[in-house]
Amino acid sequence: MTNLQQLAARVAAEFQKLYGRPPRWIVAAPGRVNVIGEHIDYNDGFVLPMAIERYAVMAADSSSSSNSFSVYDAQFKETAMIDISAPVTKGPPKWSNYIRGVIAGFQNRGIKIPALNVAFMSTVPLGGGLSSSAALEVCTATLIETATGAAIDPVEKALLAQKAEHEFAGVPCGIMDQFISVMGRESRLLLLDCRSRKTELVPMDDPSVALLIVNTNVKHELSGGEYAQRRLQCEAAAKILGVASLRDTTVEMLERSKASMSEVVYRRARHVIGEIERTVHAAEAIRNSNWPAAGNLMYASHASLRDDYEVSCKELDDVVEIAESIGVKAGVFGCRMTGGGFGGCAVALVKTGNVEAITKQIADGYKSKTGINATIFVSRPAAGATVIKA
Ligand code: GLA
């Protein structure tokens, strides 16, 4: 049984325990890791994420006895009762806002939400920078599509989930996380042009290499406000440069305007311009199985996020330093922080044959530097949102 089938069986069993019958529908949506292209989606550039084998799963059936969309979180043993007889608004518990936002999105499209009983579980680590919230949003959207038969276009679906995050969770995120959770494919990375929203699948199926995800298990509370501030700084840079977004500019243009912007805004823009170029080159390197080149671009991305964009933290830098010290000969091609930053995960491109030794070296090195146990796992590129039982 795959990871996902096992998880689906567990959630179905939780549903059965609660309601005394098997669920009618089971749906899932994955978290993601971004290989490269960080803090680029809201600058209209290219990003290169993949869906991971960690999922939000919902098992459900219609409810004849209530007028609510009731979701039982089997992990934290808490139920969210969402009244669907009126336009859905924000409400308790906090995590239900991701679900509420998606329901509201469907209501806005004129889709009548059925009363449902839902059991829910997620294996996407919370606050780990692997898009647990996008997985929950896209999972909810997939359940509503399945239960109502009102399938919506994948791009529209991802945008609806992003809007839920903006309006119900208050995070002004870009489009990357929701797009990959909807559109991920097995053995493929997704090269997403965040301006045109065009996607290209990049094969990542060479068995000799693997992506290792290293969760630092730290989360710095700064992240919410810092994220919005980075967006504003990028907008300020674009305004000074006279362009719609930093996608439209070059290093030469930036250098010419250096004197008219603050040093911080200059560095933010330098990261974005460089990262867009690195992402395009990394996709090309991966298409050609040029792993050393892809790995070096990952290191360069990390340095830029650390020094120019300032969204890394000591623990992420420690992981990247340890990975770099292991080196190519011992199987590490590259490593970088992934996701919004300020904690969460790093991602390393490694030789499959060395995974065990590298995992141990990173775990030991990280523990001795920080006193913290990292959580380390490999994931192949997974499929996006799926209906397991319809
Ligand atoms: C978070 C956001 C994404 C993206 C990344 C940084 O994950 O949700 O939209 O901006 O940060 O690349």
Side-chain angles (χ1 to χ4, degrees), residues 40-348:
I40 293 306
D41 53 359
Y42 55 84
N43 284 297
D44 283 351
F46 291 93
V47 295
L48 191 62
M50 71 174 206
I52 57 172
E53 296 159 302
R54 292 286 186 283
Y55 306 88
V57 173
M58 288 177 171
D61 196 359
S62 37
S63 157
S64 49
S65 59
S66 78
N67 210 353
S68 64
F69 194 105
S70 132
V71 185
Y72 172 66
D73 181 336
Q75 208 172 348
F76 295 100
K77 314 224 174 313
E78 188 176 26
T79 301
M81 296 284 273
I82 303 168
D83 179 6
I84 45 155
S85 61
V88 166
T89 52
K90 280 192 213 172
K94 213 170 159 198
W95 56 269
S96 75
N97 282 316
Y98 301 107
I99 300 170
R100 289 170 184 274
V102 171
I103 296 176
F106 276 88
Q107 287 179 324
N108 287 339
R109 296 175 73 94
I111 294 166
K112 188 168 163 26
I113 305 298
L116 292 182
N117 291 323
V118 185
F120 160 71
M121 214 180 239
S122 178
T123 52
V124 188
L126 296 180
L130 299 176
S131 293
S132 54
S133 58
L136 175 51
E137 290 150 5
V138 173
C139 187
T140 305
T142 307
L143 176 61
I144 297 174
E145 285 183 297
T146 310
T148 58
I152 57 177
D153 169 75
V155 169
E156 295 286 309
K157 180 175 171 181
L159 294 174
L160 184 155
Q162 181 206 24
K163 193 160 181 257
E165 181 99 23
H166 284 193
E167 292 177 3
F168 281 68
V171 181
C173 64
I175 63 172
M176 171 169 73
D177 306 344
Q178 292 78 14
F179 266 68
I180 184 66
S181 188
V182 171
M183 293 172 203
R185 288 285 176 280
E186 266 179 42
S187 310
R188 300 285 184 272
L189 308 181
L190 187 77
L191 180 64
L192 169 62
D193 179 337
C194 299
R195 169 166 278 172
S196 68
R197 295 172 187 152
K198 285 217 175 85
T199 57
E200 182 196 325
L201 295 168
V202 178
M204 175 87 198
D205 50 4
D206 181 340
S208 73
V209 290
L211 285 162
L212 199 62
I213 297 165
V214 182
N215 192 341
T216 60
N217 288 321
V218 296
K219 181 166 165 53
H220 293 273
E221 283 310 322
L222 289 170
S223 48
E226 294 279 352
Y227 185 89
Q229 192 195 46
R230 294 301 179 285
R231 277 197 83 139
L232 292 175
Q233 288 164 335
C234 291
E235 281 163 24
K239 199 162 171 214
I240 294 166
L241 291 161
V243 291
S245 79
L246 289 176
R247 166 79 179 267
D248 300 314
T249 186
T250 60
V251 183
E252 293 72 30
M253 281 166 73
L254 179 66
E255 291 305 324
R256 278 201 299 274
S257 297
K258 189 174 178 183
S260 47
M261 58 182 81
S262 74
E263 195 259 344
V264 170
V265 166
Y266 165 78
R267 282 190 288 115
R268 302 297 189 249
R270 185 165 65 181
H271 164 72
V272 172
I273 297 167
E275 185 78 355
I276 293 176
E277 202 175 307
R278 281 188 289 274
T279 304
V280 172
H281 287 154
E284 187 57 23
I286 292 169
R287 272 187 217 104
N288 297 327
S289 303
N290 187 347
W291 309 117
N296 285 334
L297 289 161
M298 290 170 78
Y299 283 132
S301 165
H302 184 79
S304 174
L305 288 157
R306 180 191 61 209
D307 302 334
D308 276 355
Y309 218 66
E310 296 177 284
V311 291
S312 186
C313 63
K314 182 187 173 296
E315 293 84 356
L316 285 166
D317 295 343
D318 286 341
V319 171
V320 175
E321 225 169 81
I322 296 163
E324 203 158 6
S325 74
I326 297 171
V328 176
K329 280 210 180 102
V332 180
F333 292 110
C335 184
R336 57 181 289 277
M337 58 154 278
T338 184
F342 304 106
C345 290
V347 56

